[in-house]
Amino acid sequence: MSIHAPEYSLPPPALRPRPDRWGAILESQLLERGKALNFVLLGLLSAAVLLSTVVPFYIATLFRGGFGPGVSARLFFIPFSTGVWFFLLVLLSSSVGAGIVSRDLASRSLTLYLARPITRFDYLVAKSGAVAAWIFFGAVIPSSIGCFIVLSLGYASLPLALQGFGGDLAVGLLAVTAFTGISVFLSSLSSRSALAGAGIFGVLIGSEAVAVLLAAISNQPSFGYLSPDENLIAVASGAFGVGGDPLSPWVAAVILIGFSATTFFLAYWRLEGAEVVPE
């Protein structure tokens, strides 16, 4: 007769559905980025967009009377033309996106993410979703609220407000995809969040400076396609019927979509080279 310890066996834990896995990452990243600086930037964006939307409509109705010739969809173009919207959105993207991947690289938690039953694509979708949500709050929500305010105050008719909302949504979503793509990609290149944030700011602002400089030196407005800001302004010009922009809104939209797709692909390719430690 032999005495030995009893053997116990437990079935493996049930695997949670795929949406739950990347949804947990998305939720944690959304909450993690709820810092005071990001809320301040959102507040500044909202104030800048709302003031540059409501005030021009008020002045137009005050001096033209009702829905006179001074009230048109062109007034919705003003927030995008000042440069304040773009600059604050760049700051928000740098703050939100700098550490989205770089912190996982620094702490080596990326290898733990990928060692579990989650694919690189799921990881990229969850991380990008968190960045995109915060940028969406700054790029789309304030302008949409501005359309509702001018409609509710009687400064714009319903068709005009709907046109403004559609144009704001188109420009905002293009900005969200472009800024999210470059933020996630540059964050995946370095384990230092500060360096990634500086890179995001430098690329977005630097491309604007380079585009303007090359266009001025060569007298070729087509160099403006090198700048995300110039492309967004071109799309806004086409959406709101503002003439005089030398860039085609359709070409600018295609460039922004291609830029977003390229940066997301490069971010995924960067994750493909990440080391995975099996459990």
Side-chain angles (χ1 to χ4, degrees):
M1 178 177 177
S2 63
I3 300 176
H4 59 83
E7 297 180 359
Y8 300 98
S9 62
L10 296 175
L15 185 63
R16 296 181 64 86
R18 185 177 184 183
D20 290 352
R21 283 175 268 159
W22 64 260
I25 300 177
L26 175 62
E27 181 181 359
S28 65
Q29 294 303 306
L30 283 173
L31 297 176
E32 184 178 334
R33 264 132 199 89
K35 298 179 180 179
L37 175 60
N38 295 333
F39 283 110
V40 169
L41 291 172
L42 285 178
L44 292 175
L45 264 168
S46 300
V49 171
L50 291 178
L51 286 176
S52 57
T53 300
V54 177
V55 173
F57 270 93
Y58 170 73
I59 295 176
T61 54
L62 183 65
F63 289 97
R64 298 290 183 175
F67 305 115
V71 179
S72 67
R74 296 183 179 184
L75 296 178
F76 289 111
F77 175 71
I78 295 177
F80 305 106
S81 64
T82 61
V84 177
W85 177 80
F86 175 75
F87 181 74
L88 291 175
L89 205 59
V90 171
L91 291 180
L92 179 62
S93 302
S94 301
S95 176
V96 171
I100 196 70
V101 179
S102 61
R103 290 180 181 174
D104 292 342
L105 293 173
S107 63
R108 298 187 180 276
S109 58
L110 176 61
T111 60
L112 298 179
Y113 274 117
L114 300 181
R116 302 178 186 279
I118 182 172
T119 65
R120 290 171 172 81
F121 181 77
D122 291 338
Y123 174 86
L124 182 62
V125 168
K127 292 285 187 171
S128 300
V131 177
W134 276 94
I135 298 178
F136 181 87
F137 294 152
V140 177
I141 298 300
S143 57
S144 300
I145 294 176
C147 294
F148 176 77
I149 290 177
V150 297
L151 174 64
S152 61
L153 293 178
Y155 297 159
S157 61
L158 179 59
L160 185 61
L162 291 176
Q163 181 182 356
F165 175 77
D168 290 338
L169 186 62
V171 177
L173 290 179
L174 286 173
V176 169
T177 55
F179 286 24
T180 300
I182 192 64
S183 298
V184 175
F185 169 58
L186 292 179
S187 180
S188 68
L189 293 179
S190 173
S191 59
R192 298 174 60 184
S193 299
L195 185 60
I200 297 169
F201 182 87
V203 168
L204 293 174
I205 297 297
S207 62
E208 168 69 7
V210 170
V212 171
L213 182 61
L214 291 177
I217 293 175
S218 63
N219 198 25
Q220 293 292 332
S222 58
F223 279 109
Y225 289 121
L226 297 175
S227 167
D229 183 36
E230 295 298 324
N231 287 313
L232 289 170
I233 290 177
V235 174
S237 299
F240 301 124
V242 179
D245 197 312
L247 304 183
S248 168
W250 294 107
V251 174
V254 170
I255 290 176
L256 288 170
I257 294 173
F259 175 79
S260 305
T262 301
T263 51
F264 281 120
F265 171 78
L266 291 174
Y268 181 81
W269 175 77
R270 175 69 178 87
L271 292 176
E272 280 289 337
E275 179 185 4
V276 177
V277 179
E279 289 187 309

